[in-house]
Amino acid sequence: MRELAQQAVLSAYIASIGKRTPREAAHDATEICTLARALHRLNETACNYGLTPRQEMRMQILEDRVRTVLGQAGLTLNHFNGDPRGYAVYVDLPDGSYNSFGGREHGYGVG
């Protein structure tokens, strides 16, 4: 349920910026959430076992893809979080909304 809410919020913000159509905004939001979940799983693996070189490369590819999709959508990456207890990706939303204890400067967490 939380994932659907995150997708809806991201989709609404992406569409409100005006760079993407509502359909493209929904696709971008879904892709960002999917990538964030994959990063979160890798963060759990890194915490529990460590990453293999192949997994490290996969993490870099996922992070690059997140940056690309956010750029297309008109959103700004705040930071990536490697701690599996939190969100994997934090985004700066246009109105400064946030969903974590870090506050506005920490951004909106996904994944």
Side-chain angles (χ1 to χ4, degrees):
M1 181 66 172
R2 179 182 81 179
E3 295 163 5
L4 291 176
Q6 287 177 343
Q7 286 179 12
V9 167
L10 285 176
S11 180
Y13 277 107
I14 293 168
S16 74
I17 293 170
K19 288 181 72 174
R20 308 287 275 172
T21 65
R23 181 180 179 145
E24 292 170 332
H27 181 269
D28 290 344
T30 301
E31 187 170 3
I32 291 166
C33 289
T34 301
L35 293 166
R37 281 192 308 273
L39 283 169
H40 190 267
R41 284 191 300 274
L42 282 172
N43 289 338
E44 289 175 339
T45 301
C47 181
N48 291 324
Y49 312 107
L51 294 179
T52 65
R54 184 175 181 173
Q55 289 169 322
E56 289 175 2
M57 183 179 291
R58 175 78 176 138
M59 184 171 276
Q60 185 61 47
I61 291 169
L62 291 170
E63 289 176 354
D64 290 344
R65 183 66 189 147
V66 167
R67 287 184 188 96
T68 301
V69 175
L70 287 174
Q72 290 172 350
L75 294 176
T76 306
L77 174 70
N78 186 301
H79 68 281
F80 291 108
N81 180 26
D83 189 340
R85 295 173 291 181
Y87 295 108
V89 178
Y90 285 88
V91 179
D92 288 330
L93 297 179
D95 70 349
S97 296
Y98 59 93
N99 62 348
S100 66
F101 292 115
R104 180 173 288 211
E105 61 277 350
H106 209 63
Y108 185 86
V110 182

